[in-house]
Structure formats: C-alpha cells, structure tokens
Amino acid sequence: GASVQTALAKGHRLGFIGSTDTHSGRPGNGDARAAIVSAEFTRAGLWDAMHDRSCYATTGPHMLIFFRVNGRPMGSEIALDAADTPRIIDWRVVGTGPVKRVDLVRNNEVVQSWQGGSADDLSGEFTRAEALTGTEWWYLRVIQEDTHLGWSSPVWVDPPGSTSAQ
C-alpha cells in the first residue's frame, strides 16, 4: 500500500520524480534522477513546472521522455467535452542506450508495449476510442536494455462535466 500505483488508485494526482536516499549527505550522489520539463530555466520556471507535474523520473540515466494526451503534456488534467472523445497519446523517448521496451500504462495496467530493438530514439502513438466511463490516468514506462528505467508523470482524463480537472 505504499507505492505510487496505490496513491494513483486512491485518486491522488502527483508527478513522478526520481530521488535517492543514500545517507551520504550529498544530494544527487545516488542513482535516481528527477527531470523537469520547463520552458524557462529560472527558479520560478522550475518551480512552476514542478507544480504543474511537468517532470519525470529515471533510475539514473539522463534519458529524455516526452508524453502527451490529446496534445496536453505530462502532468495535465483534461476534462473531455464528450464521453466518446478519443484519447490520442503520443510520445518520444531518447535513451542513453538501446531501449528494450516502452509501456503505455492506463489506470495501473499496461495497455500497449513497443519493443525497442537496438534503437535508442523511439516514438509512437496510441488511440483509445472507447467512451470514457470514469477518470483515467495515463503514463509511460521506459525500460532500457541496461535495466535502467524511466517514468513520465501521468496525464489525467476526466469525464465531461467533471470538476476534478484544472
């Protein structure tokens, strides 16, 4: 019950960052990394991006992860205009080495996987056309051949008329 999947299932809306607790007293000395996607490399810009959950986690490598649902970036909350509006997911991953697999996760279940082969730069698209019956959260999980991982922050999709989305 102490996992990020449990928190998401309970309705918490949080961004993903990698962090470490090495007890060395030297921040950033461990393996995990937090990546922030910000239009402005200033203190205010970075804090705004963190507040907007425009961030992602890796187990160490400086991989790049881009993830959008209906054109909205990771961390977004979307309220659909109609329940039958398709969710169009597009993504790109640039690994620090060959990517083994990229998983698309919806409500804590993998709904699509792409094999990386020997590529370190992958992109893809997925469309879910079924009518939305309740809140969905989507995120990407990246697995490199060297076993390092990365996770985008989720995008939440709420049914029409929902007051949950920003």
Side-chain angles (χ1 to χ4, degrees), residues 1-165:
S3 70
V4 70
Q5 289 86 5
T6 301
L8 291 170
K10 288 183 175 184
H12 297 289
R13 297 188 178 200
L14 43 97
F16 295 172
I17 63 167
S19 188
T20 187
D21 184 6
T22 63
H23 301 282
S24 70
R26 298 167 64 182
N29 201 30
D31 289 335
R33 297 285 182 256
I36 301 172
V37 182
S38 175
E40 189 177 308
F41 190 61
T42 63
R43 181 181 296 244
L46 295 175
W47 278 112
D48 288 346
M50 290 289 288
H51 180 268
D52 294 341
R53 297 178 296 256
S54 185
C55 51
Y56 60 93
T58 78
T59 57
H62 296 176
M63 66 177 71
L64 301 175
I65 301 175
F66 304 96
F67 179 71
R68 297 183 308 179
V69 177
N70 290 8
R72 301 283 303 278
M74 65 180 93
S76 296
E77 298 180 41
I78 304 167
L80 296 183
D81 293 330
D84 61 351
T85 302
R87 277 77 74 212
I88 301 168
I89 292 100
D90 63 279
W91 58 270
R92 181 176 178 206
V93 171
V94 181
T96 58
V99 174
K100 179 178 180 179
R101 190 175 77 237
V102 176
D103 294 331
L104 177 62
V105 180
R106 174 190 167 268
N107 294 2
N108 292 337
E109 294 185 15
V110 175
V111 296
Q112 178 73 39
S113 291
W114 293 269
Q115 299 302 314
S118 61
D120 63 356
D121 189 341
L122 302 168
S123 59
E125 187 173 291
F126 177 87
T127 300
R128 182 166 183 99
E130 292 88 5
L132 183 67
T133 58
T135 296
E136 299 175 332
W137 61 91
W138 297 83
Y139 66 90
L140 213 60
R141 178 177 55 213
V142 181
I143 305 165
Q144 290 192 158
E145 286 183 8
D146 63 7
T147 71
H148 280 291
L149 304 169
W151 301 265
S152 74
S153 284
V155 173
W156 290 266
V157 182
D158 293 306
S162 174
T163 59
S164 297

